[in-house]
Structures are given as C-alpha cells and as structure tokens.
Amino acid sequence: MAAKKKARRTTHRSSKGTKLYAVRDAKGRIKDIQSYKRAHGADLKRKAKAEGAAKKAKSKTKAKAKAKAKVKVAKAKVVKARVQAKGRMAKAGAAVRKAVKKAPVRARAAVRKAVKKMPPKAQKAVAQAEKKVSKTVTAVKKKASQTAKQTQAVVTQVQESAEKTVNSAIGEVKDLFQKASDAVESAVASVVPGESK
C-alpha cells in the first residue's frame, strides 16, 4: 500500500499582486485560499514538538552554564574582597603606627598653627609662658644636678668619717689589748718566781 500524500500549499498572486497560499488536499485539489502573510505568520508561531524539546534542553543547559559562571564570578569576588580587606588592614596598621610616631611632631605643629591664628597679645602671652616654662625646666635640671653632686659629696664625707672612726676605734682596741697583755705578763711575773732580769 502506497504512503498517503500530505496536503500541500502553493503560492499564487491575486489580480492586485498580493501573494496568496492555495491550500490543496492529497489529490491536489484547492481547498482554501489564504493570504501568504497571515498563513506564514501562523506557521512561524507554530512549533514542532521536537523543536520545542530541543529548545527547552538548550535553555536548561544555558541556564546551568550561566548559574555556574555566576557562582564562579561570586567566588572570585569574595576572594578578591578578602585579599583587598587584608591589604587595607595592613595599610591601616602601618598608617596607625606612622601616626603614633608622628603624633608629637604633629601636635607641636598644630600648637604652632593655633598660636599663629591667635591675636598678637595672646601670642606674646604664649611666648612668655613658653620662656618661663623653659627657664623653670632648666632651673629644675640644674638643681637636680646640684643636689645629685651634693648628695655624692655628703656620701663621700660620710664614708671618709666612717672610715676614720673605724680606724681610730681599731687603734684604740689594739692599744687596750696591748695594755691588757702587758698587765697580764707583769702579774704572772710577780706571782711566779722566776729569773731575775
């Protein structure tokens, strides 16, 4: 048995020149006349089952690939952010250390700037106060050095006097011991009859 022929369409033109579709049956007889534009649009809107499944599969694979790419990008961003955060922390630590080192110098500079912005009378008063402070500091340093020298001198004097007293005491003890030994010898000589000298 031969395969059944499918209905097919042929194109024609109307008297005005519009393109038409002539829908024919299996035997080739014209069943319907349609405008080509409308029929072709309807054909394009219709999709075959296999085509739809293939498109769905493609869209799924594309979505998976996009999701993977997004995850990769997100991971890369997280790693980059961590590295940048570490770098920032290190820089911040270094900056803090520098600031701590430069703090006294900056403070002096700030004081100078503040003094410059003051009115002339206030500037003079600040200058006089600074002079007084420097004078008192030098005076205190001198006094401290003098007292240190005086204490050294006193200590040396005390040491010398202590040595002298100890030496004199030792000499006295020696003399007393000598006297005592002489007295004992004379007592022994008087009690024991011995040789006459």
Side-chain angles (χ1 to χ4, degrees):
M1 196 172 155
K4 198 174 182 182
K5 279 186 178 180
K6 285 185 179 180
R8 56 198 185 94
R9 290 182 290 188
T10 54
T11 55
H12 299 277
R13 296 248 176 215
S14 69
S15 58
K16 290 179 182 177
T18 322
K19 199 172 184 182
L20 302 171
Y21 255 143
V23 183
R24 296 176 182 272
D25 62 2
K27 290 180 180 176
R29 290 175 292 193
I30 294 171
K31 279 172 65 180
D32 190 17
I33 300 279
Q34 301 169 349
S35 70
Y36 179 84
K37 192 177 179 181
R38 190 172 173 190
H40 187 64
D43 287 344
L44 290 174
K45 281 177 188 174
R46 264 189 237 115
K47 286 176 184 174
K49 285 181 183 178
E51 191 181 357
K55 277 200 175 182
K56 279 183 184 177
K58 268 189 183 180
S59 64
K60 278 185 183 178
T61 52
K62 277 185 181 179
K64 281 182 184 177
K66 277 184 182 178
K68 279 185 183 178
K70 280 182 182 177
V71 168
K72 270 189 183 180
V73 169
K75 281 182 181 177
K77 280 182 181 177
V78 167
V79 171
K80 197 176 181 181
R82 280 181 190 165
V83 171
Q84 284 177 349
K86 280 184 183 177
R88 283 179 198 148
M89 289 293 284
K91 282 181 183 177
V96 167
R97 284 185 215 110
K98 276 186 182 178
V100 167
K101 281 181 183 176
K102 290 179 180 178
V105 178
R106 283 184 180 168
R108 284 176 200 151
V111 167
R112 282 180 203 141
K113 276 187 182 178
V115 168
K116 281 180 183 176
K117 287 178 183 177
M118 287 178 176
K121 286 183 181 178
Q123 285 182 11
K124 281 182 183 177
V126 168
Q128 285 175 359
E130 281 181 356
K131 282 180 184 177
K132 282 181 184 176
V133 167
S134 62
K135 279 182 184 178
T136 51
V137 167
T138 50
V140 167
K141 281 181 181 176
K142 279 182 184 177
K143 280 183 182 177
S145 62
Q146 284 173 1
T147 50
K149 285 176 184 175
Q150 284 173 359
T151 50
Q152 274 186 336
V154 168
V155 166
T156 51
Q157 283 176 2
V158 168
Q159 281 180 344
E160 285 172 3
S161 63
E163 284 175 7
K164 282 177 184 176
T165 52
V166 167
N167 288 332
S168 64
I170 288 167
E172 285 174 9
V173 168
K174 279 183 181 177
D175 290 340
L176 286 171
F177 183 73
Q178 192 66 36
K179 284 177 185 177
S181 63
D182 289 344
V184 168
E185 277 180 14
S186 63
V188 169
S190 64
V191 171
V192 177
E195 308 154 356
S196 61
K197 287 182 182 177

